[in-house]
Amino acid sequence: MTRATPTLTLACALVLGALVCPAHARAQEQRQGDEARVMAVLETMAQATITKDMAMLDQVFHRELIYEHTNGLTQTKAEALKLLAGWNVRSMKFLDPTIRFYGSVALVKTITLLQTVRRDGTSAPDSRLDVLWVLVKESGGWQIVARHTTRLGSAKTD
């Protein structure tokens, strides 16, 4: 058995690195692109909720949506759209998102700050929610298929 020279070992490492690194870089770029697209869907949903753009909400919500509230109420897509049409949201912000991909499924864990307005026009206490968003990627792109929410308490504002 012969020993490889340090020069040969270095040459092999450089060749292997040149073959593996571009594939790794492409995978990393794809992941970053998917993360940006998934967060864009959540931002689009937030803006559509604020502006009551029901057509946009219909697009970002999957046909089999499971929309769960902090009180345990679970709604279908049609029920959630009806609720959101009458909901007065001033702002929705996503903090510290953690995104995990499992093939064509994305799990997004966020702290969501929600400001709403009561029916009488007064501001409701801000909500701080721990939300798990589930998105699926189909031919039309990413859509929200599930939302599970836990209330963390009132948000502190500056």
Side-chain angles (χ1 to χ4, degrees):
M1 181 174 194
T2 61
R3 293 181 85 180
T5 64
T7 305
L8 181 58
T9 302
L10 178 60
C12 288
L14 290 174
V15 168
L16 286 174
L19 295 174
V20 173
C21 289
H24 178 71
R26 280 191 302 279
Q28 185 67 19
E29 286 176 15
Q30 178 66 35
R31 179 182 164 80
Q32 289 172 342
D34 279 338
E35 285 179 358
R37 285 184 282 280
V38 162
M39 288 309 297
V41 169
L42 292 181
E43 293 294 343
T44 298
M45 180 274 308
Q47 192 59 38
T49 301
I50 293 165
T51 62
K52 297 181 191 269
D53 184 343
M54 304 317 291
M56 182 56 67
L57 286 172
D58 187 54
Q59 287 180 19
V60 298
F61 288 150
H62 191 272
R63 66 188 170 280
E64 296 178 17
L65 178 70
I66 299 169
Y67 196 88
E68 186 176 285
H69 298 272
T70 59
N71 64 2
L73 174 67
T74 301
Q75 295 182 308
T76 64
K77 179 178 179 176
E79 293 166 334
L81 288 172
K82 184 177 179 183
L83 172 82
L84 293 173
W87 208 19
N88 292 314
V89 176
R90 182 176 294 149
S91 77
M92 187 183 304
K93 296 178 185 170
F94 306 109
L95 305 178
D96 302 323
T98 301
I99 304 172
R100 300 278 190 272
F101 292 99
Y102 302 94
S104 60
V105 175
L107 302 180
V108 184
K109 183 87 159 141
T110 68
I111 300 300
T112 303
L113 299 181
L114 187 64
Q115 294 180 335
T116 59
V117 178
R118 293 185 181 108
R119 292 179 198 257
D120 66 5
T122 61
S123 292
D126 295 348
S127 295
R128 188 168 174 262
L129 308 170
D130 186 0
V131 183
L132 176 63
W133 303 93
V134 182
L135 292 88
V136 292
K137 186 176 187 180
E138 294 185 345
S139 59
W142 291 99
Q143 287 183 298
I144 300 167
V145 71
R147 169 193 185 255
H148 175 81
T149 307
T150 303
R151 184 176 304 281
L152 296 174
S154 296
K156 294 182 179 180
T157 56
D158 296 326

